[in-house]
């Protein structure tokens, strides 16, 4: 009586991540190490996630103190926690039904937090107004994105819905599009130009999809993942004009807005759109995503993200609201994390000094990491790495020897997955293969997280360097 | 350039909850009260949610201490927290990447927690085996249910997917089915028999759907919401046989398994199925849901729930796994709440005494509440209330006078919504109308939460009694 034959072909067609072969191997190696099996390394360095705490970055004290006090209000009574921590926790509990983080909140989020998030957005965007009614807090930004795609991708339509998305692209997004019955129209970022997004390429991608699907949305990631590019204002203006001309809904994944390492500044799509003035600023439909998972806070496990909707037809927004209703609310502690991310301690607050020190330390660590990575990786034969301007990852290109490519084919693997598997087995480093994210035919990459302590990065680079020269020898 | 015309008709067809009229009115009344507007009441008693903390129930100290220590491990250092709390927090952190609740976990949940949840299930079910590989932890049980429905409901199929669901039914489930493009085939519970589920009625419902859709699943809620019925083993056996005959996938919503108030015992569908032996025990496909939101812990805001799958085709389970992958993991603190719910302190543990006292206090409060509600409501003219055997709600029937029904029609409202609106305006009590959940044509009900402190319940009943006699006078 299996329901297998009944299952939606959309779900059936979702690709299993090839990555899971690596994940399985990781599990086994960890088990081996636990059982005392001798390996050339004592511990695996897993840099396949964009997850700062996993790699050993420390959570921010202020954030954890407020969250702990909200959970266990006994902590508000004695004087151990700074007074601004206690005051903030009190205020946040006032916004929770029954003054408990154990109650449900309204569908879109706690009203007081939505209000403060909207004020943050407006400050960030140089005064462009933001209305809490247009913001929905979800169980992570990924989830917000899936819900918006849920409304945009029409599985019953005669003509499949198409969504333009970058290659290389954060994989869960493309999986979501496929799972909903849409198709991804990949556009390539220009690696040689530091992973720039070029409008001519969007044009080419759109034309290539003609007749095959109904393109309805354009997904951009800025700062990028896996490629750590930060878009310029001019490039964003071009993208907005393109979206307007082609009547595309703009999905701006801006979760890495707090992770900027170079000269360039982050500017939001919403701000650029507003600055362009009417008619564009009144008409281009935009959804912008942000998250407590990223930035220097890095609270992935709390699951708090939001989407802000701009220029949406009120009827469409009502449908979105209805869909969100079926999920219940986002976890209250994730919502609170968003409040803290968007409203950190200010100079003069008792917690400010420590907060500032901790965030400065993280920032300087990552800046140092980025420099070190580019130097080290560009120094290796067969590797080249574009500058990392933002985001959580380095995404160097690797020029694999023909013998290695052949060997990978023989064992039925993508060549870069083959490389990553060997890197894991022989050097105890888990990076992700570029094939997981999509890449230009014939090119190969590996991705690894740079939001890690500097000594861990140094060890990683030592292992990579040693492994890589052996690999190149073996397959030359 | 609106995408309105492109939106999936499934999403468009989702019904907006009529409830939101009440929610809007509640917001306004609360604002009035804040501004000092005089009303016959000082505060609204909102019993429209199944949310214990909202109504004033206290969280369990042990649970909050462990969660706070996981968030802020500084608390592990001094000796303020009981040693078993600290040990548990340490152990839980060992299961988190980088020993932080701020990292992502694997898709289905933290392996150690999945293991302990499966051991709980097996203990609960008298030794029936449970495999952690068949358990998926989600951001609330509702979410787990939506994801399973996602696989079952095939929007592209020529013939609409049908899901049998009780009327009255927890509303988010029926909304989910509709949002996915399926249809709900309602079956009525027999109010006169204490809201019993009768197989003849399932048969009738299924026949009524013949030719209109392709029935693929049967959703049962046990203990019930809104009706607080607890199913007998015999009734469950009949349901299982029916599901097997009709080749229906069984969806057992068992989130209220910890909330039992009378003589009857909770038995899980999985256990009953196992006890029935082959061929049924090897073939009937079952998904069973549980949650940290309910029970005496009542941690709704943490968002932790799970589904256990039984007898699923491995290929189907793979699709389910793929779908879950697109959501990222459940919030780690919600996962930890599940660990604590399924593995509470044991006799002899330092925290046991307080834990036992707190849970006993909640339990005796609710038992007292149930008794009081039935007495009071059955004493009112025009009201009748079946015994509440489990769950979080009382769901009395109300026999509205013809004049009230006419008046409601005149203002374009369901009669029980009209009653609830007046109850809110005049007595400051927010209950939910039965029409929100579906009910037999011509019958009316109201639902309110009984997981509230006893003094709040007494005040609620005072207000209801006073309001009701005035209402009956006004409309007689
Ligand atoms: C580009 C991008 N968007 C979204 C997400 C998901 O973040 P969240 O944890 O808020 O769901 C990630 C996570 O790695 C990401 O890289
Ligand atoms: C029958 C039933 N199932 C599921 C849920 C949802 O619970 P969760 O908070 O785990 O999503 C509820 C909530 O009220 C419910 O009543």
């Amino acid at each position: 009586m299996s329901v297998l034959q009944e299952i939606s072909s959309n779900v059936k067609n979702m690709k299993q991540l090839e990555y899971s072969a690596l994940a399985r191997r990781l599990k086994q190696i960890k088990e081996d190490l636990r059982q005392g099996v001798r390996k050339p390394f004592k511990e695996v360095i897993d840099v396949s996630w964009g997850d700062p705490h996993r790699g050993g970055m420390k959570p921010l004290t202020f954030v954890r103190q407020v969250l702990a006090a909200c959970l266990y209000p006994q902590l508000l009574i004695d004087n151990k926690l700074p007074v601004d921590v206690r005051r903030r926790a009190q205020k946040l509990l006032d916004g929770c039904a029954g003054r408990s983080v154990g109650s449900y909140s309204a569908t879109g989020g706690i009203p007081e937090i939505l209000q403060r998030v909207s004020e943050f957005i407006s400050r960030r965007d140089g005064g462009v107004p933001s209305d809490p009614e247009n913001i929905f807090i979800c169980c992570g930004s990924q989830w917000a994105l899936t819900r918006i795609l849920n409304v945009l991708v029409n599985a019953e339509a005669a003509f499949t819905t198409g969504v333009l998305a970058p290659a290389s692209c954060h994989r869960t997004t493309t999986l979501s599009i496929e799972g909903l019955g849409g198709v991804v129209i990949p556009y390539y970022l220009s690696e040689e130009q530091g992973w720039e997004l070029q409008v001519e390429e969007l044009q080419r991608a759109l034309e290539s999809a003609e007749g095959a699907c109904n393109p309805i949305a354009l997904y951009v990631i800025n700062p990028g993942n896996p490629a750590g590019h930060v878009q310029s204002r001019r490039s964003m203006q071009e993208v907005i004009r393109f979206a307007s001309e082609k009547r595309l809904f703009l999905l701006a994944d801006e979760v890495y807005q707090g992770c900027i390492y170079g000269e360039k500044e982050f500017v939001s799509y919403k701000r650029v759109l507003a600055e362009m003035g009417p008619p564009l600023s009144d008409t281009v439909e935009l959804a912008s995503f942000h998250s407590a998972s990223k930035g220097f806070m890095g609270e992935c496990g709390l699951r708090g993200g939001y989407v802000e909707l701009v220029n949406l037809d009120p009827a469409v927004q009502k449908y979105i609201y209805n869909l969100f209703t079926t999920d219940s609310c986002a976890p209250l502690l994730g919502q609170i994390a968003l409040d803290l991310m968007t409203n950190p301690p200010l100079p003069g607050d008792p917690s400010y000094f420590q907060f500032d020190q901790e965030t400065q330390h993280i920032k300087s660590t990552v800046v140092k990491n980025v420099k070190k990575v580019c130097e080290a990786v560009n120094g290796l034969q067969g590797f080249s790495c574009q500058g990392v301007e933002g985001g959580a990852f380095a995404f160097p290109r690797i020029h694999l020897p023909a013998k290695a490519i052949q060997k990978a084919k023989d064992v039925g693997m993508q060549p870069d997955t083959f490389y990553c598997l060997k890197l894991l087995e022989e050097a105890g480093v888990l990076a992700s293969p570029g094939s997981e994210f999509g890449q230009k035919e014939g090119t190969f990459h590996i991705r690894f997280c740079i939001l890690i302590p500097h000594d861990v990065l140094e060890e990683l680079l030592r292992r990579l360097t040693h492994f890589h020269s052996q690999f190149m020898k073996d397959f030359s």
Side-chain angles (χ1 to χ4, degrees), chain A:
Chain A
M1 62 176 288
S2 162
V3 293
L4 186 56
Q5 64 278 23
E6 316 274 359
I7 285 186
S8 157
S9 60
N10 301 331
V11 175
K12 278 192 190 158
N13 291 341
M14 283 176 75
K15 290 184 201 78
Q16 183 82 34
L17 297 182
E18 207 199 344
Y19 174 74
S20 60
L22 284 167
R24 266 197 305 277
R25 195 67 196 107
L26 173 68
K27 205 172 150 185
Q28 221 173 309
I29 289 177
K30 279 190 169 170
E31 190 48 40
D32 286 354
L33 286 171
R34 200 167 7 240
Q35 304 209 341
V37 178
R38 281 181 69 108
K39 304 248 174 209
F41 46 87
K42 284 217 183 65
E43 259 192 330
V44 175
I45 302 179
D46 181 357
V47 275
S48 66
W49 305 60
D51 181 338
H53 299 182
R54 174 176 303 260
M57 296 300 253
K58 293 272 160 293
L60 299 174
T61 304
F62 172 76
V63 170
R64 291 304 185 89
Q65 285 178 335
V66 175
L67 289 165
C70 287
L71 256 176
Y72 187 51
Q74 200 70 19
L75 296 173
L76 296 171
I77 294 168
D78 62 29
N79 288 340
K80 284 245 170 115
L81 297 177
V83 60
D84 57 338
V85 164
R86 284 179 282 143
R87 237 184 254 140
R88 180 67 82 94
Q90 291 279 13
K91 201 168 133 196
L92 285 161
L93 285 175
D94 287 343
C96 303
R99 295 182 56 76
S100 169
V101 293
S103 33
Y104 294 114
S105 78
T107 296
I110 296 171
E112 288 82 352
I113 294 183
L114 289 168
Q115 177 62 38
R116 281 198 291 269
V117 168
S118 78
E119 288 162 10
F120 152 79
I121 293 173
S122 190
R123 277 196 308 277
R124 178 199 70 188
D125 291 343
V128 176
S130 167
D131 183 341
E133 300 260 323
N134 297 330
I135 301 171
F136 295 87
I137 298 179
C138 296
C139 184
S141 68
Q142 190 60 49
W143 183 224
L145 176 60
T146 304
R147 272 328 206 177
I148 303 297
L149 285 169
N150 212 168
V151 174
L152 297 179
V153 175
N154 187 343
E156 317 118 79
F159 222 41
T160 314
T161 307
V163 179
L164 284 151
S168 312
C169 180
H170 173 56
R171 191 66 183 93
T172 19
T173 302
T174 48
L175 267 179
S176 279
I177 295 168
E178 293 162 7
L180 290 164
V183 292
V184 174
I185 311 169
Y187 61 87
Y188 294 99
L189 302 172
S190 172
E191 181 165 8
E192 296 70 26
Q193 273 68 47
W195 297 107
E196 216 176 67
L197 196 172
Q198 296 175 327
V199 163
E200 310 80 64
E201 168 59 14
L202 291 178
Q203 185 70 44
R204 182 210 58 78
L206 200 61
E207 279 165 16
S208 78
E210 227 163 79
C213 66
N214 176 24
I216 189 167
L218 167 57
Y219 174 66
V220 292
I221 314 176
N222 180 47
N225 168 11
H229 175 67
V230 176
Q231 260 191 294
S232 68
R233 205 181 223 101
R234 200 184 46 75
S235 162
M236 294 163 77
Q237 289 165 345
E238 285 174 14
V239 169
I240 289 171
R241 265 185 232 108
F242 179 82
S244 171
E245 259 168 47
K246 309 297 179 189
R247 303 168 60 82
L248 296 169
F249 190 110
L250 246 179
L251 299 162
D253 190 332
E254 300 177 318
V255 297
Y256 293 106
Q257 60 189 264
C259 305
I260 302 283
Y261 315 121
E263 252 80 281
K264 283 203 204 152
E265 215 192 331
F266 168 79
V267 200
S268 76
Y269 265 94
K270 185 179 177 212
R271 179 176 191 162
V272 174
L273 179 60
E275 289 172 352
M276 289 171 87
L280 290 174
S281 61
D282 302 335
T283 50
V284 174
E285 288 170 305
L286 168 68
S288 157
F289 302 88
H290 195 12
S291 170
S293 300
K294 308 298 165 180
F296 298 136
M297 192 158 118
E299 295 285 2
C300 308
L302 298 178
R303 311 305 303 125
Y306 74 79
V307 56
E308 186 186 22
L309 301 171
V310 180
N311 287 332
L312 254 72
D313 188 314
V316 177
Q317 198 148 322
K318 201 193 88 195
Y319 297 128
I320 292 173
Y321 179 84
N322 278 358
L323 265 185
F324 280 125
T325 305
T326 63
D327 303 331
S328 294
C329 61
L332 266 66
L333 295 167
Q335 300 192 38
I336 290 175
L338 284 175
D339 185 85
L340 302 175
M341 176 181 79
T342 52
N343 294 275
L346 297 176
D349 292 347
S351 296
Y352 180 75
F353 180 73
Q354 187 177 2
F355 181 84
D356 188 50
Q357 274 207 322
E358 290 175 355
T359 47
Q360 288 306 331
H361 174 71
I362 296 173
K363 181 153 184 175
S364 66
T365 300
V366 186
V367 169
K368 207 158 64 171
N369 287 354
V370 164
K371 197 157 163 278
K372 183 95 192 187
V373 163
C374 293
E375 278 169 21
V377 171
N378 281 321
L380 294 176
Q381 180 212 351
F383 257 117
S384 63
C385 189
Q386 299 295 320
V388 180
E389 302 171 329
F393 303 101
F395 193 53
R397 178 164 176 189
I398 167 165
H399 305 263
L400 292 169
K403 261 200 194 164
I405 296 175
Q406 187 53 49
K407 176 74 191 184
K409 274 198 187 130
D410 294 347
V411 296
M413 241 180 235
Q414 291 290 338
D416 45 14
T417 306
F418 175 73
Y419 183 89
C420 286
L421 195 62
K422 283 204 147 300
L423 179 63
L424 172 60
E425 309 243 352
E426 293 170 21
V429 170
L430 180 56
S432 314
S435 48
E436 192 189 313
F437 313 104
Q439 54 197 351
K440 259 195 191 139
E441 185 71 28
T443 71
F444 305 109
H445 299 80
I446 66 168
R447 187 193 82 167
F448 55 88
C449 182
I450 50 160
L451 285 175
I452 53 176
H454 192 63
D455 57 336
V456 179
L457 182 90
E458 286 185 313
E459 172 64 13
L460 180 162
L461 292 174
R462 254 194 303 278
R463 294 191 192 181
L464 177 67
T465 304
H466 182 250
F467 163 80
H468 184 70
S469 42
Q470 190 58 46
F471 183 93
M472 293 305 263
K473 249 186 245 154
D474 292 350
F475 291 97
S476 69

